[in-house]
Amino acid sequence: MNISNHVITDPDESFRDHFSAVNEDGKRNWFYPQKPTGKWHTRRAWFTVGILTLLFATPFIKFNGQPLLLFNVLERKFIIFGIFIGPQDYWLFGLTMLSFMVFILLFTTIFGRLWCGWACPQTVFMEMVFRKIEYAIEGNATKQKLLNKAPWNTEKIVRKTAKYAAFLIVSFLIANLLLSYVLGVDELSKIIREPIADHIPLFGGIIAFTAIFYFNFAWLRDQACTVVCPYGRLQGVLMDRNTINVAYDYERGEPRGKIHKNQERTEGDCINCHQCVAVCPTGIDIRNGLQMECVNCTACIDACDNIMDKVGFEKGLIRYTSENAIVKKTNKLITPRVIGAMAMLVLLWSVLGFMVVSRTDTQTMLLRAPGSQYIENSDRSITNLYTFKIFNKTNQTINPTIRLEGVSGKLIFAGKPNLALDPAGMVEGTVFIVVPAEALKKRKTTLTLSVFQGNEKLEEFETTFIAPEK
Ligand code: SF4
Ligand code: SF4
């Protein structure tokens, strides 16, 4: 890792003494990365098209009448691949999060920061959307630097206004995208169509998120990855020498040295052209080894491959590889750590799978009223008094009925027997269960009850019924 309090005297190690984003005066280093071009950038561009299409299309995809994904943190309602997770399903949510974390551990141990470079929304939007807008309006890195230094003439005002206006529009779109995952597209479009005065807090939210995204992509930029994001800081513990990363093959590249015409080359393949540094959006030199700031964006691979092509050396001096592959020329992807994480993931997914399959749409608690006894009726039936709570674990309104199974008898609800349940709602009350005495063979009988919605059985549960001793 590049950040260290240790003062290094070896000039080759001096990069460890400072943070690339901060200069010697303690001020921010504003990076102007060269526009990347090459095979990996083209692949990432296509991947970005796919991932943005997915990101913008997903809120419109419905499954069983509800969104495929919803993260309503305000009301603690989540829908993950069509499975509604309400406040009662905290265990399901907790296990999903735990398995997600183990998956990240496993994925990072094998593939390093592949996520950061290819799929993280921060990198995708920053490098493939905002940076592209910047290149289109202000030109490549050198032109951007010149424009920033130039006085405020007409050209500068027009270009800067156009750039920041475009940034603002895209930030507004991203804020709406985020809210479509929180509220769902139906709710969001309803809010947009209705008068602003009816939804002041939500419009305030859209404005606030637009401002946050604008600040992030116009100013914070690489520092969101190097200063704010905790994932980058965990790399040191998540990776090992077998992890695949964007890496410089120092065995092949060193000692580095300029190329000289008509001279036999005695150095390694790195011609010290600094092109890999010039394209880096986080301003680091990949030749210093694995660094926290590297988001694996692949720009340096393309830059170096282009140089290798020009000087007639084999491509791949910077490539996806591991420390062991560079040094020992061999790599082992399946290590004991990977096996351990895989085993844990299989276990967690099995438990999760079982929970999802055995999950019911309602959760009913029916308990005998505290201190109550049985009542013997004149028609030779016995009555017990219960309190009940029914939780709706779906995102739809349901009108459940409760029926006794395997025994004749009836339920008499005290008060209004309307059990209509709002999405993720709860209803509670008291109910009398009346059972003919001849159906009761002992003092304590276990009764089976079912919750139905129409003819569809949603849940089955048991309770105890007390009768006089025979
Ligand atoms: S070192 Fe290379 S892969 Fe890492 S952030 Fe810089 S350009 Fe991207
Ligand atoms: S681009 Fe390649 S050759 Fe040039 S400095 Fe970087 S590693 Fe060396």
Side-chain angles (χ1 to χ4, degrees):
M1 293 288 146
N2 173 327
I3 299 171
S4 167
N5 293 326
H6 182 58
V7 177
I8 306 285
T9 44
D10 181 345
D12 290 335
E13 295 284 304
S14 62
F15 75 94
R16 295 188 191 279
D17 293 343
H18 64 271
F19 178 37
S20 63
V22 179
N23 66 25
E24 284 178 2
D25 301 330
K27 293 197 179 124
R28 178 174 181 177
N29 268 337
W30 189 270
F31 300 125
Y32 296 92
Q34 295 278 359
K35 198 170 167 181
T37 51
K39 182 177 78 181
W40 285 99
H41 185 73
T42 308
R43 287 176 184 168
R44 277 185 64 219
W46 281 112
F47 192 81
T48 299
V49 171
I51 214 153
L52 287 184
T53 308
L54 200 68
L55 211 55
F56 279 91
T58 302
F60 293 92
I61 302 173
K62 297 268 175 79
F63 184 77
N64 282 342
Q66 52 186 7
L68 194 65
L69 290 175
L70 187 87
F71 303 95
N72 191 338
V73 282
L74 307 171
E75 294 172 25
R76 290 185 295 143
K77 292 178 190 171
F78 303 90
I79 299 174
I80 297 173
F81 300 117
I83 300 167
F84 178 74
I85 301 177
Q88 286 76 46
D89 294 315
Y90 48 86
W91 44 267
L92 193 58
F93 184 72
L95 264 183
T96 308
M97 289 297 111
L98 190 63
S99 59
F100 179 65
M101 279 185 241
V102 175
F103 176 77
I104 287 189
L105 183 142
L106 177 63
F107 187 86
T108 311
T109 303
I110 300 175
F111 300 111
R113 296 182 75 172
L114 200 66
W115 158 264
C116 299
W118 290 74
C120 172
Q122 171 70 24
T123 321
V124 167
F125 279 111
M126 184 65 245
E127 301 307 324
M128 307 308 270
V129 179
F130 285 86
R131 197 85 74 182
K132 298 265 181 232
I133 293 171
E134 200 162 58
Y135 288 136
I137 296 175
E138 293 189 350
N140 206 348
T142 323
K143 285 190 177 162
Q144 288 176 26
K145 267 190 226 169
L146 288 175
L147 189 71
N148 276 2
K149 281 189 190 146
W152 281 96
N153 53 24
T154 314
E155 188 199 344
K156 184 166 174 173
I157 292 170
V158 169
R159 286 189 193 276
K160 290 284 177 194
T161 309
K163 181 178 96 168
Y164 289 123
F167 278 12
L168 200 60
I169 292 167
V170 182
S171 301
F172 178 72
L173 270 178
I174 301 173
N176 278 278
L177 175 69
L178 180 79
L179 278 179
S180 69
Y181 279 95
V182 175
L183 304 173
V185 271
D186 296 341
E187 189 64 21
L188 185 64
S189 59
K190 193 173 133 222
I191 291 166
I192 290 169
R193 276 184 275 111
E194 288 175 0
I196 292 180
D198 294 353
H199 302 284
I200 295 287
L202 278 165
F203 271 99
I206 293 179
I207 302 295
F209 277 114
T210 303
I212 291 169
F213 287 125
Y214 179 82
F215 168 76
N216 177 38
F217 292 114
W219 190 83
L220 195 62
R221 304 189 146 203
D222 47 284
Q223 297 203 356
C225 304
T226 55
V227 178
V228 182
C229 178
Y231 181 56
R233 291 170 182 275
L234 285 175
Q235 302 307 309
V237 285
L238 298 179
M239 292 182 197
D240 58 26
R241 298 174 78 83
N242 290 300
T243 303
I244 308 287
N245 264 309
V246 174
Y248 164 68
D249 186 345
Y250 53 88
E251 291 284 344
R252 186 186 140 193
E254 300 295 314
R256 65 190 77 162
K258 292 275 177 215
I259 202 159
H260 300 287
K261 270 191 186 165
N262 307 324
Q263 249 184 39
E264 199 186 331
R265 187 163 176 85
T266 52
E267 297 93 348
D269 280 357
C270 174
I271 63 163
N272 213 7
C273 65
H274 281 86
Q275 280 311 298
C276 50
V277 184
V279 291
C280 180
T282 61
I284 56 166
D285 187 340
I286 186 87
R287 295 173 300 169
N288 290 332
L290 184 66
Q291 292 153 77
M292 184 203 77
E293 295 95 325
C294 176
V295 292
N296 274 227
C297 72
T298 72
C300 54
I301 303 184
D302 280 333
C304 191
D305 277 353
N306 292 341
I307 294 295
M308 293 292 106
D309 238 3
K310 278 187 194 145
V311 296
F313 294 166
E314 196 190 334
K315 287 180 182 180
L317 181 56
I318 300 175
R319 62 182 185 275
Y320 274 115
T321 187
S322 71
E323 179 70 14
N324 272 350
I326 291 171
V327 181
K328 299 183 185 165
K329 313 294 175 214
T330 167
N331 198 36
K332 215 170 136 192
L333 280 184
I334 308 299
T335 58
R337 186 184 192 176
V338 169
I339 293 171
M342 275 178 175
M344 198 187 289
L345 201 58
V346 168
L347 182 71
L348 280 169
W349 280 353
S350 307
V351 175
L352 255 178
F354 174 76
M355 283 177 159
V356 168
V357 168
S358 58
R359 186 174 178 269
T360 53
D361 283 349
T362 53
Q363 184 183 332
T364 306
M365 283 159 53
L366 190 131
L367 302 167
R368 285 201 316 107
S372 68
Q373 275 295 337
Y374 55 81
I375 302 162
E376 291 181 80
N377 304 313
S378 56
D379 62 353
R380 284 192 34 79
S381 65
I382 311 290
T383 299
N384 278 197
L385 177 65
Y386 295 84
T387 59
F388 71 89
K389 274 185 187 173
I390 309 174
F391 295 95
N392 180 1
K393 290 171 33 177
T394 73
N395 200 24
Q396 275 131 17
T397 303
I398 53 177
N399 286 291
T401 50
I402 303 180
R403 298 179 200 167
L404 272 170
E405 297 274 2
V407 63
S408 60
K410 59 185 175 188
L411 282 82
I412 303 168
F413 289 90
K416 210 170 80 170
N418 180 10
L419 302 183
L421 281 157
D422 290 335
M426 188 268 286
V427 66
E428 60 184 329
T430 48
V431 61
F432 296 97
I433 298 182
V434 186
V435 179
E438 61 268 21
L440 305 162
K441 305 280 178 252
K442 46 193 180 182
R443 182 172 155 74
K444 273 191 183 177
T445 306
T446 302
L447 295 182
T448 305
L449 295 101
S450 294
V451 179
F452 279 83
Q453 156 97 321
N455 286 326
E456 186 194 352
K457 189 194 270 192
L458 304 179
E459 184 194 357
E460 191 174 283
F461 62 94
E462 291 180 339
T463 193
T464 310
F465 193 89
I466 306 282
E469 201 82 61
K470 287 204 172 164

